[in-house]
Amino acid sequence: MFDSPPSGAGTRARLVSSMVNLLQRRGLVGAGLTEILHDAEAPKGVLYYHFPGGKVELAIAAIEASVDWLVGALDDTLAKFDDPLDAFEHWIAKSGRRLTRTTFERGCPLAAVSLESSPHDKAMRAALAKAFATLRDRLASALVSHGYPHSEADGAAALLVAAYEGGLMQARVAGSIYPLMTACSTLVTLLRARRALTVS
Amino acid sequence: MFDSPPSGAGTRARLVSSMVNLLQRRGLVGAGLTEILHDAEAPKGVLYYHFPGGKVELAIAAIEASVDWLVGALDDTLAKFDDPLDAFEHWIAKSGRRLTRTTFERGCPLAAVSLESSPHDKAMRAALAKAFATLRDRLASALVSHGYPHSEADGAAALLVAAYEGGLMQARVAGSIYPLMTACSTLVTLLRARRALTVS
Amino acid sequence: MFDSPPSGAGTRARLVSSMVNLLQRRGLVGAGLTEILHDAEAPKGVLYYHFPGGKVELAIAAIEASVDWLVGALDDTLAKFDDPLDAFEHWIAKSGRRLTRTTFERGCPLAAVSLESSPHDKAMRAALAKAFATLRDRLASALVSHGYPHSEADGAAALLVAAYEGGLMQARVAGSIYPLMTACSTLVTLLRARRALTVS
Amino acid sequence: MFDSPPSGAGTRARLVSSMVNLLQRRGLVGAGLTEILHDAEAPKGVLYYHFPGGKVELAIAAIEASVDWLVGALDDTLAKFDDPLDAFEHWIAKSGRRLTRTTFERGCPLAAVSLESSPHDKAMRAALAKAFATLRDRLASALVSHGYPHSEADGAAALLVAAYEGGLMQARVAGSIYPLMTACSTLVTLLRARRALTVS
DNA sequence: ACCAGCGGGACTCCCCGTTGAT
DNA sequence: ATCAACGGGGAGTCCCGCTGGT
């Protein structure tokens, strides 16, 4: 889910991929260019050739790449399950396994940057807002097309995203997937119950 | 809610308070000592007198102060309402107003640090884990004592915290309280429905 | 006088012309290749096609172009006046007007480079030395052919150039043409008096 | 004349002194902080302790120190000679010797910066303008008090400064003191003649 | 105990002038 | 004539000790 996008051949792609990786672990401020460059095995000057806007432009590219990748993965998962709530459970379970496997080092590539950004970082926040909006839209329309009441789908989508982000945050600092898992499975239970009610 | 703790007179308190403030806006890495010192109107040497551990020790103090303050505010709110879900709604509404008032500059003092931290920052993560756990416990026991099924209270508490943190994140980058509000009111609706079911 | 040479059509000429322009405003070190390329609307690689020696070779070309242009303008002016001192006064007046018009941004294309250069920049200093020598010679021979004592013409020519360069320097930092004007008109007065004496 | 000011004990003074030195040789843009720090044997952080404004603030301090030192030396020289023109000749002769001794590496600490500065560097140009004005005033009043016509003293002072700066520029690139010497001795001759006329 | 001056480098992001392969 | 890559500095700022006075 939150692996780097497949790390295409070119230098530019390697830069983006390294940035995504660091964004997940330390956020934008914590991500040193030196480190990015080092692990993309790219020399210094290359960055400003591909991203004249420097760190921020690279970060935005990384966010966009992440979101493309997330949406792709999300669509795949939704397609595999008849019920979007099943898909969500699957997604969460997978996240939990990855979290354990990587010893809670990496989170969502959008989250840390979001919290570090200020209203003055217009471009940054715009990219992030668009990213979250896209995710919510995908979830909402999946919910609707599977019988969830139309008027409540937006709220449920925002809540799903929030539960995921907020659960991940608690899980990482706790060094345990428990907060993520309980929060999300509680949510799924609640949503199922809700749908059952409105359907009947 | 997330204002700085009352900023006691002493130098040490002013340092902590400045740190809390910056944590909400930029996270730990983004918080420069120079800036902290400047806005606490404290000279350089003072920091290492009060916090020999430097920046990190100050940050931990800031987190603890924040959590004390949060728990206090939470308890007050819970006490004012018969139903903890009403209390939560009130809390969210207040957060929304503050968010608008401060033009989406400040978030939760725990959140950004959480996402920047790595598993190696043991002390940091321990403080954060304890902080979140405390909040969850408070919420869970309030839920239980107001009729929410015991076996599901932990999950609901984790979900409440997650919804808040995740909603806040989406709201800040969107520059709109909408994602926070819908996510949370959806959650409240769901929880009320659930309780109605189990009570009957 | 110190406008760029007419900026011939070709890419090469545009490069030289941009360089001249920047030399007048910031000197050689201050002139970034990126900026030159940008304002000549030329891609990066082009420079090394036309000037394999890089920045320095371009600068030398710019100096030579400047000097050609200066000598041309000087000869024209001298031709227009019977007395070279009248010509000098005219030149200075024109410089003053341009200075005001351009808000004291631009100076002589030779001056800044001269002061930044070190004895080790042989080619650079040679080009500059030749440039100044040419200007002095032109002035000296004009003086001689208009009755100025032969033995003192070289000194007077060097002094004229110096007064111009030194006056320009003072004028630019002062943001006022006054130092340039007084210095030069004083000099003209002195030279006229001298000539009057020796002629009689 | 163009030695660094006596290089007082403190770190700050050493920084200023190094800056003065580099200003004479390469101008402000050409003066790397690294080099300055190296030859002042000071670490980086110290600079921003003494000069929070960074390079520019240090440069302004260097200009002010230079001017103080120049004015001091000028006053001393003027005091040693009855006639200010004798003093000027002496000054020039000394400059010429130093030029030769240092193989034309160093010039006036004010000159290069002046030519690199733009109208937008307000503080810089103000410091420079003040510096030149001070020098002119000193010279003008010396001239007046030794019989030079009051109404022409300002012009003569500006011309003396210009001749010096412009002569130095030509001399350095030529690798020969000749342009400086002839320009200045010509000027002295002219001024003497002028004074003789008006006195009688 | 509390505070402050002064200093110390490593590290930040950025951009420079430059070259091979195409 | 051009694109992509190259590293080495550019200035600036980081977080952090010493030493000494109160």
Side-chain angles (χ1 to χ4, degrees), chain B residues 5 12 15-21 23 27-29 31 33 36 47 50-70 109-110 113-114 116-118 120-132:
Chain B
R12 189 196 140 103
L15 285 173
V16 170
S17 159
S18 299
M19 179 53 117
V20 171
N21 187 349
L23 248 26
L28 181 54
V29 212
L33 282 192
I36 297 175
L47 202 164
H50 289 293
F51 303 93
K55 197 191 198 184
V56 170
E57 190 176 336
L58 172 55
I60 293 183
I63 288 168
E64 282 160 1
S66 297
V67 110
D68 286 354
W69 189 87
L70 277 170
L110 310 174
V113 211
S114 294
E116 289 168 335
S117 75
S118 101
H120 307 108
D121 310 330
K122 304 248 166 89
M124 194 85 248
R125 283 210 167 169
L128 290 164
K130 184 156 168 265
F132 281 120

Side-chain angles (χ1 to χ4, degrees), chain C residues 115 169, chain D residues 2 20 23-25 70 106-113 132 135 164-165 168 172:
Chain C
L115 299 188
M169 179 187 301
Chain D
F2 290 153
V20 171
L23 248 27
Q24 295 177 252
R25 299 199 279 125
L70 277 170
R106 290 156 55 161
C108 169
L110 310 174
V113 211
F132 281 120
L135 293 174
Y164 179 62
E165 295 291 359
L168 200 43
R172 284 178 70 204

Side-chain angles (χ1 to χ4, degrees), chain A residues 4-17:
Chain A
S4 331
S7 169
T11 304
R12 190 196 140 105
R14 282 204 317 279
L15 286 172
V16 171
S17 159

Side-chain angles (χ1 to χ4, degrees), chain D residues 54-119:
Chain D
K55 198 189 194 184
V56 169
E57 190 177 335
L58 172 55
I60 292 183
I63 288 169
E64 281 161 1
S66 296
V67 114
D68 286 353
W69 188 87
L70 277 170
V71 166
L74 185 57
D75 285 348
D76 287 356
T77 311
L78 287 168
K80 266 201 290 213
F81 293 84
D82 190 48
D83 181 352
L85 294 181
D86 289 345
F88 183 69
E89 281 193 306
H90 177 79
W91 178 283
I92 294 299
K94 231 167 115 181
S95 288
R97 285 194 299 274
R98 183 174 21 257
L99 223 38
T100 314
R101 213 170 52 229
T102 60
T103 59
F104 304 91
E105 277 191 335
R106 290 156 55 161
C108 169
L110 310 174
V113 211
S114 294
L115 300 189
E116 289 169 335
S117 74
S118 99

Side-chain angles (χ1 to χ4, degrees), chain A residues 177-191:
Chain A
I177 59 169
Y178 183 77
L180 173 62
M181 301 314 268
T182 41
C184 289
S185 72
T186 301
L187 176 54
V188 168
T189 309
L190 292 172
L191 287 171

Side-chain angles (χ1 to χ4, degrees), chain A residues 17-189:
Chain A
S17 159
S18 299
M19 179 53 117
V20 171
N21 186 350
L22 277 170
L23 248 27
Q24 294 177 253
R25 299 197 280 125
R26 290 207 268 282
L28 182 53
V29 206
L33 283 192
T34 311
E35 190 172 4
I36 296 176
L37 262 354
H38 171 84
D39 93 38
E41 290 172 45
K44 225 115 175 229
V46 155
L47 204 165
Y48 289 85
Y49 174 74
H50 289 292
F51 303 94
K55 198 188 195 185
V56 169
E57 191 178 334
L58 172 54
I60 292 183
I63 288 169
E64 281 160 2
S66 296
V67 118
D68 286 352
W69 189 88
L70 277 170
V71 167
L74 186 57
D75 285 349
D76 287 355
T77 311
L78 288 169
K80 266 199 293 212
F81 293 84
D82 190 49
D83 180 352
L85 293 181
D86 289 345
F88 184 69
E89 280 192 306
H90 177 78
W91 177 285
I92 294 297
K94 228 167 117 182
S95 286
R97 285 194 298 274
R98 184 176 20 258
L99 221 38
T100 315
R101 214 172 49 232
T102 60
T103 58
F104 303 90
E105 276 190 337
R106 290 155 56 160
C108 167
L110 309 175
V113 211
S114 294
L115 299 188
E116 289 169 335
S117 73
S118 101
H120 306 109
D121 312 329
K122 305 246 166 94
M124 195 85 248
R125 285 211 165 168
L128 290 164
K130 184 158 167 263
F132 281 120
T134 305
L135 294 174
R136 286 193 301 260
D137 286 352
R138 281 300 214 271
L139 285 169
S141 58
L143 285 172
V144 167
S145 54
H146 288 262
Y148 200 87
H150 191 281
S151 66
E152 300 173 9
D154 274 4
L159 180 54
L160 283 166
V161 172
Y164 178 61
E165 296 291 358
L168 200 43
M169 180 188 301
Q170 293 176 69
R172 285 178 70 206
V173 302
S176 150
I177 59 169
Y178 183 77
L180 173 62
M181 301 314 268
T182 41
C184 289
S185 72
T186 301
L187 176 54
V188 168
T189 309

